[in-house]
């Protein structure tokens, strides 16, 4: 089969790999119909995440058709069209029983904090991802769901990570009726979070980024006020000015490890790999939220040290909430929002790229060319 493979920082290509096989009675094999490149895939592409091995296939957002099932699989059949959450989880351990699917204790022998993720390095279990023609899906009775007849394929695809993660970020922000929320980052997750804030009762949503076309998308898609941090002298001071000197009630970091805005932080993290990620957006969130407010962290960071303003958070009495999204928990509500016409996640998609051209897709997304927001990968028929 054809599959995207990692060849080193900034180097990916399509190669022929053996088709995946049933390795456990709970496995299924899925023929991929649509996949996507996630902003967090760019952290892998740029060499930011540890233990990303040559030959690894990325891709944790995909939908497709079941072609094989293991002997113990009861809920899926060959021919079912499924959406697969990016979390790989057993469904029965201490953490899964409490809905913490992203922290499953049984699927990742390489780390104790995070569970398994498709196509996200060996630090999350070493599972090949869905930027390929075929993919092995462990615990097939637990993670995948048959795509509802009234949910469009591209909407289902966006719910496998980006939109569900943004929605979860808004949940973690603990938004009260009429609250002001600042979202850092106008990529797909940030845009999804900003749009979702209204569903949580926000009275005002402000999105911070530095790219004009992404800020325009925030105004059109998320109905948000926008601030370009490159156009103000001090983004924290500007946000305080916009909120009567108090700060926002909640802030959402939807940027993560490669945040721009501070040369030293960016160089020590993205270039020299001395930090687990540039904490610029997170520090802005801590400093711009009001005392007693909440900071929700959706941006991906590596496990290493990062220079976070923890003292400021403590002294301000902030609540910090974060995790990899337990995606499947979000689906019932998101299905209803889509059916009611409140959301259409596929509006975030700007590019549809053949699998054979995935290297060009990564380059476009990495360099923010052609006003790209969300690229979808289409395997050849």
């Amino acid at each position: 089969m054809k599959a995207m493979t990692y060849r080193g920082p900034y180097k990916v290509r399509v190669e022929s790999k053996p088709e995946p096989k049933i390795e456990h009675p709970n496995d299924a094999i899925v023929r991929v119909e649509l996949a996507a490149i996630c902003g967090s895939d760019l952290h892998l592409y740029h060499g930011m995440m540890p233990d990303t091995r040559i030959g690894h296939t990325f891709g944790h957002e995909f939908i497709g058709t079941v072609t094989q099932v293991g002997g113990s699989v009861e809920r899926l059949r060959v021919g079912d069209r499924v959406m697969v959450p990016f979390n790989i989880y057993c469904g029965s351990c201490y953490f899964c029983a409490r809905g913490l699917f992203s922290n499953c204790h049984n699927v990742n022998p390489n780390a104790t904090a995070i569970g398994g993720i498709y196509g996200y390095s060996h630090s999350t279990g070493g599972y090949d991802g869905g930027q390929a023609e075929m993919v092995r899906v462990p615990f097939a009775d637990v993670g995948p769901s048959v795509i509802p007849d009234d949910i469009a394929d591209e909407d289902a695809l966006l719910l496998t990570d980006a939109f569900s993660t943004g929605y979860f970020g808004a949940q973690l922000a603990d938004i009260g009726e009429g609250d002001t929320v600042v979202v850092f980052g106008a990529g797909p997750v940030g845009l999804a979070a900003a749009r979702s804030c209204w569903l949580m009762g926000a009275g005002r949503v402000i999105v911070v980024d530095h790219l004009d076309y992404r800020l325009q998308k925030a105004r059109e898609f998320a109905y948000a006020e926008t601030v370009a941090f490159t156009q103000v002298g001090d983004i924290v001071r500007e946000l305080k000015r916009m909120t009567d000197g108090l700060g926002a009630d909640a802030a959402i970091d939807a940027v993560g490890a490669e945040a721009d805005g501070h040369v030293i932080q960016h160089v020590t993290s993205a270039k020299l790999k001395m930090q687990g990620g540039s904490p610029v957006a997170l520090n802005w969130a801590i400093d711009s939220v009001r005392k007693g407010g909440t900071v929700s962290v959706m941006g991906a960071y590596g496990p290493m040290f990062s220079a976070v303003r923890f003292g400021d958070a403590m002294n301000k009495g902030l609540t910090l909430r974060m995790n990899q999204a337990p995606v499947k928990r979000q689906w019932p509500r998101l299905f209803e929002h889509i059916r009611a016409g409140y959301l259409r996640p596929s509006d975030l998609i700007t590019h549809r790229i053949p699998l054979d051209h995935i290297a060009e897709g990564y380059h476009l997304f990495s360099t923010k060319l052609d006003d790209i927001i969300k690229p979808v990968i289409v395997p050849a028929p």
Side-chain angles (χ1 to χ4, degrees):
M1 69 168 184
K2 292 180 179 178
M4 168 271 176
T5 60
Y6 177 71
R7 309 308 302 176
Y10 295 89
K11 296 178 183 178
V12 299
R13 66 188 183 206
V14 175
E15 296 183 317
S16 179
K17 296 182 73 168
E19 291 188 3
K21 297 179 180 180
I22 299 291
E23 298 179 13
H24 187 279
N26 289 333
D27 288 350
I29 304 300
V30 171
R31 183 180 70 248
V32 178
E33 295 175 3
L34 290 175
I37 303 175
C38 180
S40 58
D41 287 329
L42 296 181
H43 303 326
L44 297 170
Y45 179 67
H46 296 153
M48 287 290 295
M49 293 296 149
D51 209 7
T52 306
R53 302 183 188 181
I54 300 299
H56 191 53
T57 295
F58 298 170
H60 54 267
E61 298 176 290
F62 60 93
I63 65 171
T65 298
V66 176
T67 62
Q68 298 179 58
V69 294
S72 297
V73 176
E74 298 178 349
R75 297 182 182 177
L76 293 184
R77 298 179 181 179
V78 172
D80 283 345
R81 299 187 66 253
V82 294
M83 50 197 294
V84 183
F86 79 80
N87 319 112
I88 300 170
Y89 59 101
C90 73
S92 58
C93 71
Y94 177 95
F95 301 100
C96 289
R98 288 157 176 78
L100 296 171
F101 306 142
S102 54
N103 307 111
C104 177
H105 209 50
N106 290 328
V107 293
N108 183 8
N110 301 321
T112 58
I114 193 169
I117 298 177
Y118 293 97
Y120 211 73
S121 84
H122 279 67
S123 64
T124 63
Y127 300 90
D128 269 346
Q131 292 170 9
E133 292 180 320
M134 310 282 285
V135 63
R136 180 176 76 93
V137 175
F139 296 99
D141 274 339
V142 177
S145 288
V146 174
I147 300 171
D149 291 338
D150 57 352
I151 300 296
D153 286 357
E154 289 186 341
D155 288 332
L157 174 65
L158 269 290
L159 295 189
T160 62
D161 176 16
F163 213 96
S164 295
T165 294
Y167 188 79
F168 181 60
Q171 285 181 328
L172 290 189
D174 196 23
I175 298 166
E177 183 99 17
D179 277 357
T180 295
V181 186
V182 176
V183 179
F184 291 91
V189 171
L191 292 167
R195 180 69 175 263
S196 298
C197 287
W198 299 114
L199 299 173
M200 309 293 170
R204 188 179 183 192
V205 179
I206 304 167
V207 174
V208 176
D209 203 288
H210 68 293
L211 297 173
D212 288 341
Y213 80 89
R214 300 213 308 185
L215 293 170
Q216 178 65 28
K217 188 71 172 179
R219 293 189 288 271
E220 295 172 353
F221 177 80
Y223 314 119
E225 300 171 58
T226 59
V227 180
F229 66 78
T230 53
Q231 302 302 310
V232 297
D234 184 323
I235 185 59
V236 172
R237 182 173 295 178
E238 177 64 14
L239 291 170
K240 290 284 185 68
R241 185 194 66 78
M242 295 173 68
T243 53
D244 297 325
L246 300 176
D249 299 291
I252 300 173
D253 169 10
V255 183
E258 296 184 82
D260 289 314
H262 190 295
V263 173
I264 294 175
Q265 297 282 21
H266 187 74
V267 169
T268 56
S269 57
K271 303 302 181 184
L272 301 180
K273 311 296 190 293
M274 294 171 63
Q275 297 190 69
S278 168
V280 172
L282 179 53
N283 286 336
W284 284 347
I286 288 170
D287 285 345
S288 63
V289 78
R290 65 166 171 79
K291 288 176 275 191
T294 300
V295 174
S296 166
V297 185
M298 289 294 98
Y301 293 87
M304 292 173 57
F305 157 89
S306 290
V308 177
R309 294 182 182 274
F310 193 77
D312 287 359
M314 184 272 174
N315 289 320
K316 291 177 71 175
L318 302 186
T319 298
L320 306 183
R321 305 183 72 193
M322 64 208 79
N323 203 354
Q324 296 282 351
V327 167
K328 199 170 182 178
R329 273 174 39 192
Q330 320 310 316
W331 286 352
R333 290 181 185 141
L334 285 167
F335 288 157
E336 292 307 311
H337 288 319
I338 291 170
R339 288 167 180 146
Y342 297 142
L343 299 173
R344 192 166 70 178
S346 56
D347 285 345
L348 291 174
I349 297 170
T350 54
H351 292 67
R352 295 163 181 85
I353 299 165
L355 177 61
D356 284 337
H357 298 163
I358 196 168
E360 287 83 355
Y362 268 90
H363 175 69
L364 277 175
F365 202 24
S366 173
T367 53
K368 308 296 187 291
L369 295 173
D370 197 33
D371 290 355
I372 192 167
I373 296 287
K374 184 66 175 179
V376 167
I377 302 301
V378 184

